[in-house]
Every structure is written in C-alpha cells, then in structure tokens.
Amino acid sequence: MRIVLAVLALLLVPQVAQAELKPAEIGIVAMRNSRQSVELAEYYAEARGIPLEQICLIDSKAGEEVSREEWEMGIRPQIRGWIVENKLAAKLRCLVTVWDVPLKIGKEDPEFPITVDRVAYLKGERENRIFRLRSLIAAINELLPGPDGPPPMPAESTDVKVLIKDFQSAFGAIRDRMKPVADTPQGREANTQLSAIFTAGGGLVNVVRNIQSQIQQQPDNNALKNSMTNTLGRIAGLTEGRAALERLSDGIEKDEAMLSLVEKSDGLLGSLAWIDGQLELLKKNETYASFDSELSLLYWPSYTLGRWQQNVLNYRFDNSYTRQLRATLMVSRIEAPTFELSKKLIDTAIAVEKTGLEGKVYLDSRGRGKLGETAPRGSVKDFDSQLLSLAAFLRQETDLTVVLDEVDDVFQPGDCPLAALYCGWYSLANYIDAFEWQPGAVGYHLASAEATTLRKPTSKVWCKRMLEDGVCATIGPVQEPYLAAFPRPNEFFLLLLSGKHTLVECYYRCKPYNSWVMVLVGDPLYNPYKANPKFVGKPLPAAIENLINGPAVESEMP
C-alpha cells in the first residue's frame, strides 16, 4: 500500500512556473556509505543555500555502473520514497548527483522472462502475418484467372522487402487482367474484392495513396476530397494512440495493442516492418542509460527502455500538453576526477558568476557542412553547419572573439588560449590538450564515448580530461549516443550567453532525449553570463527569441 500511495503522489505532481531555477527547488542525491559523497552534498547545499533536509542518501554498491535491476528495484524506489515522505514532489525541479553516485545504468538482462516472452510473441505474430499476407497474394492471383488458371505463387520468403515486391507484382498483374472486363459486373466485383485486399495489405496509408491518385484524375470530386479528409483523420487518431502506447512499459499486452493500431494504419506489411524493428531493438538491447538521464523520468509511472524518450522540457514542447502530463526533473552532476576538483566546480561557478565569464569562443567544425545549408537533423552536415551558423551569429551580434576551425583535424596544442566556450569534434576518447581554459569555462566535444568514465586515472575521454584541465561544466555520453542525442550547439550556447538561464536549464531546454546516455557535469545553478549577458538590447530573430525566452510561465492544466 505504501508503494501505491507513493506512486499516486508522484503522479499528481503539479507543474511549477518555469522561472529561473532556485536553490530551494533542488534536491541532492548522495551515497549513504560514502563519507566523501555526503561531505560534497553538504558542501554544495551550504554553498548554494539548499536546505540540508533536501539531501537524499541512497544505499547502493560503489562503482561507476549499476545494474538495471539495482536501479529499478533498489535505487529508484528509494529516491521516490524519499521525495514522497518529505513532501517534496511539488517543490523539486532539479536533482544533483554527487561524488560516488553511479554514473551509468547497465542493460536489461536479455534472458529476463518478459524479454524472452516478447521475442517469442513477436516471432509468432510475424509468422502469422506472413501466412496472412501470402494468403492475400493468393487471393489476388485467383481473381479473374486467365485460361491457364491463376498465376503461380512466388517462392516463399520471410523477407519483408521481398514480400512487398511480391504483393506489388500481384497487383500489377491483376490490373492487366482487369482492363478488358473493367466495366462488367465481374470486373466491378473483382475491383471491390481487390480494394479490400489492398487495404488489408497496406492499411489506411494505401487507401490515402489510392484516393490521392483518383483526385489527381478528378480534381473537382468533392466526395473523394471528403473521403481523403476522413481517412487522414482516422490515421491521425491511430497515430495518437500509438504515441500514447509508446509511453508504457514494454510487454506483450503493449505489443498486442500496438500491432492492432499499426495494422489498421499501415496494414500487414507495416505491421511486419514494425515487428522486425522491435526484434532488432531487442537484439541490440540498447536499454542502458546514464544514471542522471534516467533520473529525469523519476516521476514517470512507466515507459519503454529501448533507446530514448523525448525530453518534454525541450523548448519544442513549450506549448505541448505532453509536458503537463509527464512531469520531468532536470538533473546535473557535480563530480570530477578527484574529490578536490569536484569541490572546485562549485567554488569556481559561484566566483565566476559575480563578474561574468570572460574569454574566447572556440568552435571546431570538420569542414563537412556549409553556412545556411539544410541537412537531415542529427546528421554530420547538420551539426557542422550549426557550428558555422553559431560562429557567424556570435560574430555579428556580440563582441566575443570567435575562433572557427573549418579543417578536418581538431585544434592542436597551443591553438586555444583564453578559452571560455568550446564545442567541436572528432577525436574519439582522446582529448587533445589544445586549451588554456579560463576559470568557469564551459565546453563539450561531439564524440561517442566522452563520459564513459569520470574517474578512471588512465582514461583520455574528453569530459574527464577537460575537467582535469579546468573546465567548469561539460556534457558527454556514457555510451554510444547517436549524434542527434547531443544538445545542438547553436541552441545550447545561445541560451547560455543570454544570461537568462542557469546551466541545467540551458541543457534541458535544448536536450533532445531522456532515459538515454547523456550527462551534464557542473553546478546546475551556474549562470556564467548573468552578470554580462551578450544579447541585451539587441533585436533577435523570432526563432532565437523563442528559444531563449519561451513562455514566461507554464500554462495551467485545463
């Protein structure tokens, strides 16, 4: 009963006005059995005026990685229970993890009964749908058979691409057979049956394509236009249903409901493609995450663990009801390779805020993108062009010294004196000491492994080495993130330079995903440009104005 009440309390978390983060809205997570973890938690609380009773002490084993089972069954319930018992659910907006709190969460056990059952269920549904699809192809072939009988069935295949080709070939052949009898009762009956088969195989998506084709031939046919509107409405409803199901924990009941919706919208062919996608995800088992990113969804009752969940605190959700339904915490980590450096992250942030961060901006592109180029979101060209547009905007709108490197190699030793801000790529797990970091510097390196450890002495990953060399805040992944998981540099740094948001707010305002692998290291309250914001009195493009300012207060739930 106590667990049920705790869950209900968390589900009823009210949304807090999104003004600048306050110390009273922060909780600190520390390890009970680590003297230094508790000491750092108390040190940060006293430095920032956070009530000491807002320190949550958890019991877990030491080490940078914790198992998925330990997170689900041990750590997560401890933190949720602490929030409920201390009546903090309506108050906290941000959690801070400190020294010795695990950095990452491992994968689900592939032999976990639920996973084994899901694989068996999906494989069985796949076989069933292949049989049904081949039955549809046979039914097409039997319509209007020629003098030699129905065309032979294609060779059996379980490959979806081959099945699509076979389905399309059968349709092409029946169309040729229908031409001579199109206006006869036999032809019209065959066409009615063919339409039903067409919908079963390709779903409402195929119906839309068919109506579109007819509208092109009869542009003034209002009946066709109404049919199109109605069909698109049905597809939209099915899409919303699928989105709602995606938020639930994985299991056979969810798969069964999802397949029902997918088959209605995309037919047997679409449901086969969906099953194959799910089986591939289960095989890859990308259920790992950074501890901090999973902690963001502490209030969520259930969600799928395969890859990521959308971060509803991202500015793109400013006017979305989803943000109201899925209360999400901001999380930052105060931990560096040594205990003393961890304390220094706090001291430096507080000291620099008083006068403002001074120094140069270093942006290291790879020469893959072009200024103003449109490229697929999350692609190499996309991120490269972001660095170029950020450089151009800062040079035009601020008095900052911006150094942009457009060659494929990274900055080399001695290239970056007086470095205040940095973003670049790509030197995988091999930090190049090109920088003379200013006190309070903020930067991150776009690569796949740069926060896999913060403590291993021999590691050269960028987050660890940048912290050792003097940065005050950085971002990186604990596992392969895929490029689209990084905050976009032309969003993150503009937010930071505006001086209107704390570090953690900048991060969450442009961070794409939660329950994934990224981690923010630094004092969440750090605001290095609050004393000297860079866009004061300047008219900004609407898109940038929306990014920086957004709605002043969250809209109330209806």
Side-chain angles (χ1 to χ4, degrees), residues 53 70 73 119 126 144-145 160 185 192 271 300 313 348 360 406 409 411 418 423 468 482 489 505 521 542:
E53 58 267 24
E70 171 63 13
M73 305 304 294
V119 170
R126 192 180 194 281
L144 303 175
V160 173
T192 299
S271 66
W300 287 33
L313 296 182
T348 302
K360 300 180 180 180
E406 296 187 67
D409 204 1
F411 287 122
L418 304 174
C423 188
E468 286 177 329
Y482 303 105
E505 290 170 301
V521 181

Side-chain angles (χ1 to χ4, degrees), residues 17-39:
Q18 300 299 294
E20 185 175 349
L21 181 68
K22 303 288 193 302
E25 297 171 318
I26 293 178
I28 306 170
V29 179
M31 298 288 282
R32 189 188 307 275
N33 60 356
S34 168
R35 178 185 58 80
Q36 288 183 315
S37 185
V38 176
E39 181 182 337

Side-chain angles (χ1 to χ4, degrees), residues 359-361 390-402 421 493-494 496-498 529 532-536 538-540 544 548:
K360 300 180 180 180
V361 179
L390 176 61
F393 185 82
L394 294 182
R395 284 169 173 169
Q396 179 178 333
E397 301 293 338
T398 73
D399 58 0
L400 290 164
T401 299
V402 180
L421 301 180
F493 288 104
L494 292 183
L496 195 69
L497 286 161
S498 74
Y529 291 97
N532 59 345
K534 296 303 178 182
F535 306 124
V536 175
K538 291 182 177 292
L540 299 173
I544 294 175
I548 292 174

Side-chain angles (χ1 to χ4, degrees), residues 11 30 81 123 210 225 294 317 357 398 433 451 462 552:
L11 290 177
K123 286 183 176 179
N210 187 44
K225 292 177 181 178
E294 206 70 88
F317 286 83
L357 177 58
T398 73
D433 188 5
W462 279 72

Side-chain angles (χ1 to χ4, degrees), residues 17-256:
Q18 300 299 294
E20 185 175 349
L21 181 68
K22 303 288 193 302
E25 297 171 318
I26 293 178
I28 306 170
V29 179
M31 298 288 282
R32 189 188 307 275
N33 60 356
S34 168
R35 178 185 58 80
Q36 288 183 315
S37 185
V38 176
E39 181 182 337
L40 188 62
E42 293 176 348
Y43 186 85
Y44 180 60
E46 291 171 3
R48 284 296 194 179
I50 299 167
L52 289 176
E53 58 267 24
Q54 289 178 202
I55 297 175
C56 174
L57 300 179
I58 60 174
D59 296 303
S60 184
K61 61 182 180 181
E64 287 194 301
E65 182 168 335
V66 67
S67 71
R68 173 59 66 175
E69 182 181 13
E70 171 63 13
W71 161 257
E72 295 286 354
M73 305 304 294
I75 296 174
R76 187 170 186 252
Q78 287 182 61
I79 302 173
R80 288 168 67 116
W82 171 80
I83 288 175
V84 171
E85 288 174 9
N86 290 277
K87 298 180 173 61
L88 294 172
K91 183 178 183 181
L92 296 183
R93 292 174 57 204
C94 176
L95 293 177
V96 180
T97 53
V98 297
W99 182 265
D100 274 350
V101 172
L103 177 65
K104 47 195 174 183
I105 300 171
K107 298 179 178 182
E108 277 192 319
D109 182 354
E111 298 304 316
F112 194 61
I114 292 177
T115 303
V116 173
D117 289 346
R118 282 193 69 209
V119 170
Y121 171 78
L122 290 169
K123 286 183 176 179
E125 286 299 310
R126 192 180 194 281
E127 291 178 3
N128 171 269
R129 280 166 168 73
I130 288 174
F131 173 80
R132 289 166 58 196
L133 186 62
R134 289 186 63 79
S135 298
L136 290 181
I137 295 173
I140 295 170
N141 288 342
E142 290 170 1
L143 288 173
L144 303 175
D148 298 326
M153 283 288 291
E156 289 193 17
S157 175
T158 59
D159 187 312
V160 173
K161 291 181 180 179
V162 174
L163 290 167
I164 291 172
K165 184 178 178 180
D166 291 345
F167 190 71
Q168 292 172 339
S169 296
F171 260 94
I174 187 64
R175 287 195 185 99
D176 290 339
R177 298 199 302 275
M178 285 185 65
K179 287 178 182 178
V181 295
D183 294 327
T184 68
Q186 183 186 23
R188 286 191 287 272
E189 173 63 23
N191 188 59
T192 299
Q193 295 180 45
L194 196 61
S195 294
I197 294 171
F198 188 65
T199 302
L204 294 176
V205 172
N206 263 1
V207 174
V208 166
R209 294 193 186 106
N210 187 44
I211 297 173
Q212 284 175 330
S213 176
Q214 293 180 61
I215 289 176
Q216 288 177 355
Q217 299 173 12
Q218 306 173 56
D220 298 326
N221 190 323
N222 290 327
L224 286 174
K225 292 177 181 178
N226 290 335
S227 179
M228 172 69 83
T229 300
N230 292 334
T231 306
L232 289 174
R234 292 173 63 191
I235 291 175
L238 293 168
T239 302
E240 289 178 6
R242 289 170 63 174
L245 285 174
E246 285 289 358
R247 302 187 190 110
L248 302 179
S249 298
D250 291 328
I252 291 176
E253 288 185 356
K254 174 184 171 181
D255 290 335
E256 186 176 20

Side-chain angles (χ1 to χ4, degrees), residues 251-266:
I252 291 176
E253 288 185 356
K254 174 184 171 181
D255 290 335
E256 186 176 20
M258 186 68 79
L259 275 170
S260 175
L261 297 181
V262 172
E263 187 169 329
K264 286 183 175 68
S265 63
D266 298 342

